Amino acid sequence: MSSDLHGLGFGTSSMAAVLDAAVPWGGRVNVPLQTVAHNALRAERGEGRCVAAQDVWTVTFGGVGIVTTAANGTVGGYAVRGFDPGLAGSAWLAEHLLIAWNPAGQRHEAPDLLERLFEHPARAWFVDFFSDLAEHAAHALELRDAGLLAACVNTYRKCFDAWSGGEHTHHAWSVGSRLQSNGALGWKCPGAGGCASLVVVTDGPAGMADCARYLHGCGWASLPAHVTGGLRVADGVASVGHRVDLIGAADLGQDPSIGLPGRCLALAVEPRVFRMLEDLAG
């Protein structure tokens, strides 16, 4: 598995886990996605913290949706209607949402971040707040309201920065700050941050072009967020898309240190990553 986005906060680890979990069903027409997601999530967590639920679910099932996590360990989700690949909502999203990264920039590195999040005295408040914010952002998508979506994303960015203790003080943060005077309505670091990448909300094609032009001048690459489907297995080849989280982190509420249900909003996007199942098995 290879991608220019490797290690830049777009779900690479969970993509690999889902592809690995697809091996036993390489020759079948109908792959049991629930089982694949369960096995991938178990591999992602090992004996550690309750992480990656949003990532694994989004990569496995694709599209745009709310991922739900329960304190008892259950993970589920439901789609934001109208945003399956090929539908009008996905075309609208590709005209308003940009993913950006520095090909020569810092890869994800935040070694103490999880412990800070799980020990923060306001951790329960953040999980509840982000869960509600995910619903508001999903409503903004249903309305095709880029301004409201950007407001949700900006609020999330500021609050997650407070929860994480300022972990995002790196080059991506400074680039994102300058983007708001170069066509962006809102922006955030994908995943846990700590790397040179961004998710950018714009007012439409003109704003997308302005942002892309500015990013190019900074040595960054960018792509419109083209929604893709979930895990596909055919003729011995498995493929998945990347995960873009719009409102994340609330899935951490599933950890025993918090013990609360959570809701996140994320989407699976191109480029898809392909691997031969025989390579996975070997």
Side-chain angles (χ1 to χ4, degrees), residues 1 5-18 44 55-56 59 190-191 240-245:
M1 186 180 78
L5 301 179
H6 178 79
L8 285 170
F10 295 105
T12 303
S13 175
S14 292
M15 294 164 67
V18 171
E44 276 282 74
D55 308 59
V56 165
V59 167
V240 292
H242 289 75
R243 185 272 295 128
V244 171
D245 58 325

Side-chain angles (χ1 to χ4, degrees), residues 102-126:
N102 182 349
Q106 175 183 336
R107 265 46 183 174
H108 176 66
E109 185 179 5
D112 302 321
L113 176 60
L114 280 176
E115 290 307 313
R116 286 202 303 275
L117 296 177
F118 288 129
E119 293 173 0
H120 196 287
R123 57 191 180 275
W125 182 89
F126 283 113

Side-chain angles (χ1 to χ4, degrees), residues 161-239:
D161 193 51
W163 188 8
S164 65
E167 183 62 33
H168 293 118
T169 53
H170 47 71
H171 183 56
W173 190 266
S174 62
V175 170
S177 298
R178 294 195 297 273
L179 269 175
Q180 288 190 277
S181 58
N182 288 275
L185 298 178
W187 61 275
K188 68 181 289 292
C189 299
C195 53
S197 58
L198 291 168
V199 179
V200 185
V201 183
T202 76
D203 61 1
M208 292 275 282
D210 289 342
C211 286
R213 190 178 305 110
Y214 173 76
L215 288 161
H216 179 74
C218 295
W220 283 50
S222 63
L223 284 172
H226 290 290
V227 178
T228 192
L231 170 69
R232 298 173 191 158
V233 178
D235 300 322
V237 178
S239 71

